[in-house]
Structures are given as C-alpha cells and as structure tokens.
Amino acid sequence: MSDLAAGTSGIDVRATVTGLIVAYELRIGEVLDGRFRVDELLGVGGMGVVYRARDLSLDIDVAIKLLRPELARKPEAFERFRNELLLARQVSSPHVVRIHDIARDGERWFISMDFIDGESLERRLERAGPLNVDAALALARGLLAGLSAAHHCGVVHRDLKPANILFDRNDRPTITDFGVARSLGATGVTQTGLIIGTPEYLSPEQARGEAVDGRSDLYTVGLILYEALSGHLPFSGGTPAETVMRRLVRPPPSLATRRPDLPRWLLAFDERLLKLTPAHRFANADEALRALDQQRLPPSPQRRRSLLLAVLAVCALLGTVELVRRQWPALRAGLATAEIAAPTPRVAVLPIAVDRNDASLAPLARAIEEHARYWLRDDGAVAVATRERVLAALARAAPDLDGDALERRLPEVARAAGVTQWVRGSLRRDGDAFVLRLQRDAALAADALPSVEIRGADAAALFAAYLQGFAAFATSAPPMLPAPAASAYGEALAALDAREPAVAAERLQAVSGVVATSALLQLALLQAQSDAREEVSVEATREQIRQTRAEARDLAGRLALAQATDAPEERANRL
C-alpha cells in the first residue's frame, strides 16, 4: 500500500470517488500486467489516475490511465467504454494521442497510450497568457487535422478542452482522451444526470443532451481558439451552470470585442465555429481546415438559402409590377400627403485603408479613424456605431476582402453593423507627401456626400489639413488633438488594440507636454496606465483630468472626467 493510501486508515475511503481512486493508487516502481513499470504520477482526471510508465517489452515510455473502479464494476458501462476505445484505436493522426491497449492487472483495468513529453494547453495559457496569432493558427490547424481523422473513423471527442491538448517537444498540438467522453451513453449524460465533460467547453446541443456529431467538436474548437487568442472564454463569469445556460440561448460576443487587432477573416472563422445551430457552422472539420488554410470562408448555409429565396422573391415581384404600375397615381398622391418622420442617421467609421507594404502609415490612419469617430459622436443629429461593432460587422459580412471587393460588400457590412451611412477612407504616399481620401456613403444615394482629398507634407501637416477637410462631414467642432501628437496617439491606440498597455503608455509619455490639452490623449493614457496597473501614474492622470476637464462640454472631455471620478454615481451624472 502506498503512503497516501496508508494515511487513510480508519476512514471509509470507498465512500467517495476520490477515495476509490486513492484505494487503487499505484506504487512507483510497481509493474502492471508483468509489462508496465510505473515511474511517475502525472495527474488525476475524471476517469481516473494517469501515470508515466515504462513498457518493458518495447523499452519505451507510455502513459497509463488507471480506470475508476466503479466504472469497471458496471458490465454494461464497461463494455461501452471498451467498444469505444477499440473504435478510437482506429484513429491515426500525428495530432491524436494513439491508444495502445486496454489491459487488466488483478481487479484494476488500465489503458496504455502514447506518452507526450510536454505541457498541456491549459498549463501554457496559465503560464504564458494568450497565444500570438501564428501560434493560435497552428493550434487550430492541429486540432482540426486531428478531429478530421477521428470523425472519418466515426469518433466524436465530446470532451475537448485545454487540459486534453498536449504539446510535444516539437510544439505540435496533440489531442488526448478520445472515446472517453461518450463512454457512459450516447447523450453524454450519466445515469445520475450529470453531464460528462467540463461545462465551460460543452456545445449547446451537448449541454441539452441531444444527439451530437462532429460539429459539436467544432464548436469546442471555437471556444478554445477564442480563449487561446484572448485569454478568456466568451461566456466567462458566473457559475458553470450559468455559463452553460447563456450558451444555450445566445451566440457568444464577437472576439473583436477583446482582440480588435485580429484579421477580419480570423474573427469570422471563429464566429462560424461558434454558431448556436450546428447547421450554421462548418459542415465538417475538413471544410473548417480548408477555410483556415485559405484564410477564406465558404458561403454560409444561411446565405445559400438567402440567394434561393431572393430568386423566388424576384419572381414574385415581377408578378406584382403590373399591379403597382396601374395603381401608381393613387400611391403617389398618398405619399405626397403623408407625413414621414426622418429617422436618426446611424453612421459607422470604417478603418482607414493603408498600403500593406507601408506599415508606417498605420498609426496615423488609426488616429484619424478614432478622431473622426469621436467628432461624429459629438454631433447630436447622428448615432455612431462603436469600433467593436464595426469590426464584428466586417468580420461577418466581408471577412477577407479589401479594395474594390470590400467596397462592393459595404452595403452588407452596413446592414450587419445596423447603420445607414458609413465613412471610409484610404491613406497613401505620393512621393514625399501624404494623401488622405475620405468618403461618406449611404444606403440611400441621396444621403451620400462628395468625397474629399486631403494632402500634407508630413503626418502633422496632413492631420492639420484633415481637421479642415472632415468638417464637410460633421457639424460640431472637432475634438482637440494637437497635430504633432497624432502619430503618437495612433501608435498608442494600436498598442492598446494589441493588448500592450505598457507600450501604449510609453508612446503617450513621449508627448506628455501636450497630453493635458487633449481629452482624447488623456483617455488613452488613463486606459493604458490602468491596463498596465501603473497605480501611481493612474492617480496622477486622474488628478490632471479633474483639474483640466471640470467644465468639459464635449463628449471626450465628459468621458475623461467620468473615468477620473471615483464614485460610480458621479460618473453616471457626468454622462
């Protein structure tokens, strides 16, 4: 008996699952079935205890999973478990941990499988935080390749989660625990009504106890990719039961709300994986893998159906044209006398396009985009969509488009963002000069405004000229932002988008002499310092804002003062 088991003498350890595991614990050095020498305890999971062992016959390291005794004692449950393990053995992929055998040593049953000498995704995220884009794409590609191999063999994982994803010494992601999650029944529910698997990673249909297929695993890949890129699950917060309930009734918030810097196609890719209805996701892991490799999504099932309905609608419309023509005089008279209240225009400011080969233009473009958004928000006659909403709309309606292709899709982007007008623009170099072109388009051609072209000898000169040119699109006064500080402001915003608050604070400190003159600079600096947890600097910036924005009337000034006010009720009053 081991020290751990010996320490429980006098206690009815068999009264609990933990006790059952303790009672069947293996001793280091013990040889199972005359073949497997136990060398190290690796961890405890839902099915039992996992060890590293030496296969004395093949002279290799393997992983041994000692099954829970109560599972082995139930003939029907054990038979289902055994059959699914035999099925899982058919899966052959470098991204799937291969199961060798199921064997018995006395009253103890165990599984032998490949030993992966590395850490789990769960441990990596705890240790190093979110993955960069390339690492996250490699993770998703490995998971989808492994799932594709499994699904072709009729195996659905059902319990995919970061703890079940291991990285080997070559940093290759590998899926483990195949076949285990559905060992107690096709619905994924035990006889006592407990859902098998981690609630935070269940698909909606799995949580409802419905029949599932490979698309359930794809939903979980979406959850894992979301967490790997943002450091958070989309339904984080609350109890496990609450997170499951939220997942049953609504789609997750867009990844763009946490990582607006990500490519639009990647945001749309994860959103497709996380569709509430399985039929709206990718058809299978192969389709998802192709979309990932091509960085382009296939048409969604809803869009294919919409095209068919559109054709039918056109046919029906043609049938009514003659009737409308005959009744037009009466309709025109009615319209002439009707009083129609004009709705409040809703406007989106799109990211300013720049030459991909000239990254130095990106900070200035980001500054102009944010400044234009605040400028329009100060106009009480329009409502302005948030940047997060705009990015989410771009990800849904035009995930991998730019240039003319994006321009043709802008009406769809506007509908996805819930706006009727949009401001778009491009920034380029012309020799040593900068050229900014801006356009305010609308769903109704009559509401569109002529484009403006703005030139400047350098970044500061261009921004100063923009303050004059953009006045054609806005009726209020522009928010204060010194032209020489525009590029530093854009660099700080880009750093905040990339979740690098310390870098953002450093960029703004470079123009500290003018921060007090601009509420926009103060807002960005306060956010950067707060996110970087620079408490002393945060309080100094708050005090500066309270002194300089006490009588603020513009939106940026009121927001800055609200953020600098400690009492929540005072913040609400400021806004």
Side-chain angles (χ1 to χ4, degrees):
M1 185 184 303
S2 69
D3 294 338
L4 180 59
T8 62
S9 60
I11 300 175
D12 185 9
V13 296
R14 296 178 183 272
T16 65
V17 172
T18 303
L20 287 167
I21 293 174
V22 168
Y24 278 75
E25 185 199 10
L26 301 177
R27 296 188 300 272
I28 302 302
E30 182 177 355
V31 178
L32 289 178
D33 196 30
R35 176 177 175 179
F36 301 101
R37 185 189 68 228
V38 178
D39 289 344
E40 180 185 4
L41 173 66
L42 297 178
V44 178
M47 298 302 300
V49 188
V50 183
Y51 297 87
R52 178 175 62 84
R54 191 70 176 177
D55 185 333
L56 301 178
S57 298
L58 300 177
D59 197 29
I60 60 172
D61 284 336
V62 296
I64 294 292
K65 182 187 290 278
L66 186 68
L67 303 184
R68 291 205 316 253
E70 76 275 17
L71 178 62
R73 289 197 187 98
K74 297 178 180 179
E76 293 182 1
F78 178 76
E79 187 60 25
R80 286 195 297 269
F81 179 79
R82 177 179 176 276
N83 289 340
E84 291 193 8
L85 283 176
L86 293 176
L87 184 62
R89 284 185 61 186
Q90 301 175 25
V91 180
S92 177
S93 168
H95 295 284
V96 173
V97 172
R98 186 168 58 94
I99 295 176
H100 299 170
D101 202 0
I102 180 170
R104 181 175 182 177
D105 183 89
E107 296 184 3
R108 299 175 298 196
W109 288 90
F110 62 92
I111 307 166
S112 62
M113 63 188 76
D114 287 347
F115 170 69
I116 304 298
D117 188 11
E119 65 180 348
S120 68
L121 174 61
E122 180 181 55
R123 171 61 184 141
R124 177 165 296 187
L125 293 177
E126 290 175 350
R127 176 179 58 81
L131 306 182
N132 61 45
V133 173
D134 289 340
L137 293 180
L139 168 66
R141 187 172 291 107
L143 296 182
L144 291 171
L147 289 173
S148 173
H151 294 168
H152 280 299
C153 295
V155 180
V156 181
H157 194 290
R158 300 189 183 215
D159 194 24
L160 197 62
K161 55 187 176 182
N164 284 343
I165 301 167
L166 306 177
F167 291 95
D168 62 17
R169 290 183 174 180
N170 296 320
D171 218 31
R172 180 177 58 192
T174 312
I175 306 171
T176 187
D177 274 354
F178 258 103
V180 172
R182 57 178 187 173
S183 62
L184 293 182
T187 63
V189 179
T190 69
Q191 293 178 354
T192 59
L194 298 176
I195 295 175
I196 289 195
T198 305
E200 290 84 351
Y201 297 94
L202 295 176
S203 68
E205 61 271 27
Q206 188 179 357
R208 285 191 294 263
E210 299 172 353
V212 301
D213 55 24
R215 292 171 298 182
S216 176
D217 285 340
L218 297 186
Y219 184 93
T220 307
V221 171
L223 292 176
I224 292 171
L225 181 60
Y226 191 112
E227 182 180 14
L229 285 165
S230 70
H232 301 273
L233 282 165
F235 294 101
S236 58
T239 66
E242 290 171 341
T243 65
V244 170
M245 289 304 299
R246 289 198 292 267
R247 202 174 313 148
L248 292 177
V249 299
R250 67 172 184 260
S254 171
L255 183 56
T257 60
R258 294 186 180 273
R259 289 293 306 273
D261 60 304
L262 294 176
R264 292 198 299 271
W265 74 265
L266 180 54
L267 297 172
F269 177 80
D270 194 60
E271 185 176 278
R272 179 76 65 86
L273 290 171
L274 291 173
K275 289 294 185 183
L276 200 62
T277 304
H280 295 167
R281 300 172 200 154
F282 294 103
N284 48 53
D286 290 337
E287 185 180 68
L289 192 57
R290 284 194 299 272
L292 185 69
D293 288 337
Q294 296 172 5
Q295 298 186 4
R296 181 183 296 273
L297 272 63
S300 65
Q302 305 101 299
R303 189 177 179 194
R304 289 193 289 267
R305 286 195 296 272
S306 297
L307 291 175
L308 176 59
L309 291 174
V311 172
L312 295 175
V314 168
C315 294
L317 182 61
L318 291 175
T320 64
V321 168
E322 181 63 19
L323 177 61
V324 172
R325 185 185 66 80
R326 292 176 180 178
Q327 298 296 324
W328 175 243
L331 291 173
R332 183 172 57 187
L335 290 173
T337 59
E339 294 185 1
I340 302 175
T344 300
R346 294 186 56 83
V347 183
V349 179
L350 304 180
I352 305 295
V354 298
D355 186 347
R356 293 180 179 178
N357 297 320
D358 192 352
S360 64
L361 294 175
L364 181 58
R366 182 70 177 89
I368 293 173
E369 174 202 344
E370 192 74 3
H371 186 272
R373 184 174 293 108
Y374 270 98
W375 194 344
L376 290 173
R377 288 178 68 186
D378 251 337
D379 186 345
V382 299
V384 183
T386 65
R387 186 170 198 260
E388 290 75 16
R389 187 180 185 91
V390 172
L391 293 177
L394 284 166
R396 288 195 299 271
D400 50 4
L401 302 180
D402 55 17
D404 293 340
L406 173 60
E407 184 175 347
R408 288 192 296 270
R409 194 70 66 84
L410 286 180
E412 295 180 35
V413 174
R415 285 192 293 271
V419 301
T420 55
Q421 301 178 17
W422 56 94
V423 175
R424 59 186 174 91
S426 62
L427 178 61
R428 61 181 177 85
R429 292 183 188 272
D430 183 11
D432 293 333
F434 292 77
V435 180
L436 173 67
R437 185 178 180 83
L438 295 171
Q439 174 77 44
R440 183 164 170 174
D441 293 322
L444 297 176
D447 294 332
L449 297 176
S451 63
V452 296
E453 185 171 286
I454 302 162
R455 305 178 70 90
D458 54 27
L462 179 79
F463 190 82
Y466 146 79
L467 293 176
Q468 301 295 322
F470 196 78
F473 299 155
T475 59
S476 59
M480 177 60 185
L481 180 63
S487 291
Y489 179 56
E491 291 172 354
L493 293 175
L496 288 172
D497 292 342
R499 294 186 174 274
E500 298 176 345
V503 175
E506 180 183 344
R507 295 292 185 271
L508 291 171
Q509 290 295 349
V511 292
S512 58
V514 297
V515 167
T517 68
S518 169
L520 291 180
L521 292 175
Q522 290 174 324
L523 272 170
L525 180 59
L526 185 59
Q527 181 185 344
Q529 292 169 339
S530 298
D531 291 352
R533 299 185 179 182
E534 300 174 359
E535 300 300 336
V536 175
S537 298
V538 165
E539 187 51 44
T541 301
R542 282 179 174 169
E543 180 59 29
Q544 181 194 81
I545 292 172
R546 288 192 288 264
Q547 291 179 3
T548 59
R549 304 293 158 200
E551 304 298 328
R553 293 292 179 265
D554 63 299
L555 175 65
R558 296 198 310 272
L559 287 173
L561 190 59
Q563 293 297 323
T565 303
D566 292 327
E569 61 274 12
E570 291 186 38
R571 293 186 187 181
N573 291 336
R574 296 291 182 186
L575 297 177

